Amino acid sequence: MMNVKPILQLIVKCTRDAGLHTCAPLQQIQKLTRLRVIDNSELGKSAMLEGRPPKCIHIYSKIRFGYTGDKVLVAIKGQKKKAILTGCHQNQKPLMPKFDSNNIVLIDDNGSPLGTRILFPIPTMLRHKLVEMSRPKGADYTKILAIATRFV
Amino acid sequence: MMAGLARMRILSLTRQLASLGLGGRRHTGSSAVPAKVLPYRKTRGDDDDVNMQQIPDDFRVVFPEFLPDPKPEWRNRLREKLERQDMLARRAVMAIPEFYVGSIMGVTVADPNASGKINRFVGICIQRGGTGLRAWFILRNVIDHQGIEILYEMYSPLINNIEVLRLEKRLDDELLYLRDALPEYSTFPLDMDPELIQEGAPVPVNHLKVQLKPRPWHERWERKNLQGLLDLGLPERFYKRAKLHEKPWEKFDLMKEYRATIPEEEQADIFREISPHYEQLEASRRRAKRRRTKIIRS
């Protein structure tokens, strides 16, 4: 029977001496994060069903991490698609809902959603954030609010 | 019994340290962490024997945010006094009911982005914390097969109403394991009716044992000594490693308990400060209960 304690102590000592810092998982959304598609688009449904959820490959913001309402580029079934983050698993500020999974809604370049309905709840703050993101002569990201069924 | 004896010792410890004149002076020992001890200051001149019986039994439990954080670096008596005044002023406007971790609550907030400018969320309280005006709690619910948690700051002016729909306690102080439990343990209807209990009755304890989903989990629940879980069904090596990480001496650590509690004299001082408003706080709690006409608790 192996005695685990001296091995654990050795690992802790090596980490400390090497100056490494470990922290609790922050569950942030960054490149290569696997996301969950919550709309009823064919692409999203088939990707989730076959067990290969989309991976985030780029976040359209100056920060390396994605937060609720950010536009991201995902790799899904060999294609590149844009998506909006509608729910994050990361701990949120007060009054902001925290979801059990990192949810996205697939969109095209004009902001039109690929699916026809979003069957899961989305936060009310998206009403404000997506209007802010949209440009009068550019993409209109508020179209996904029209297909949402429940706000939280 | 242990806690009572420990509290008595905390009482005499502060007085002894005050008499030694250790207040405020840095301890120049060889240890890296200076042992800073706040001096005991009498707020009332005459009565030497502070009457502990004046504090109602439920004060520490029902209004835990009135007691400040025991960490000495964060203590500031003037700020705490001003905070308590603000807390009482807020409670005069909006009644904050008695609740515990495991109670099901409904919170209405002012939300400019929601329809009708208000937003209501119902959920089970899985954790509460913070002191003073920063006191918070987290509600969890599963809506449309999606687990959602929201953190509410109790004294935020954005909150319109906090309602306790089912007042009960659970076997654990924190229910964070509900994140790894089967969804039915966190699902509550959004249009739930409030369930009343008899006034003066003790808070019921729900002895529900929760079943977790298969691993991976968010935390090593086998190491947390949780009472509200069904048998985890883990291999023996998990429990052996959990035993290595156990700290059975912690419950005998008197200084640890001292650092984690506010001394009895200070608690009595705080209660004395808010006692003119205590009847108002109790009355608003009872008023919220009496407003409903039926008692339907079985």
Side-chain angles (χ1 to χ4, degrees), chain A residues 28-31 56-68 70-72 85 90 129:
Chain A
Q28 290 180 326
I29 294 169
Q30 55 184 18
K31 288 190 185 184
C56 171
I57 53 176
H58 185 256
I59 298 161
Y60 291 96
S61 90
K62 301 287 184 195
I63 319 163
R64 298 195 305 263
F65 304 107
Y67 300 103
T68 315
D70 284 345
K71 190 169 74 164
V72 296
L85 277 167
Q90 190 177 15
K129 177 117 193 223

Side-chain angles (χ1 to χ4, degrees), chain A residues 36 89 95 98 100 103 124, chain B residues 111 140 146-147 149 151 218:
Chain A
R36 179 191 182 204
H89 191 34
L95 297 180
K98 169 196 145 123
D100 276 4
N103 299 338
T124 51
Chain B
D111 188 354
R140 179 183 168 80
Q146 173 74 60
E149 291 174 19
L151 188 144
H218 286 80

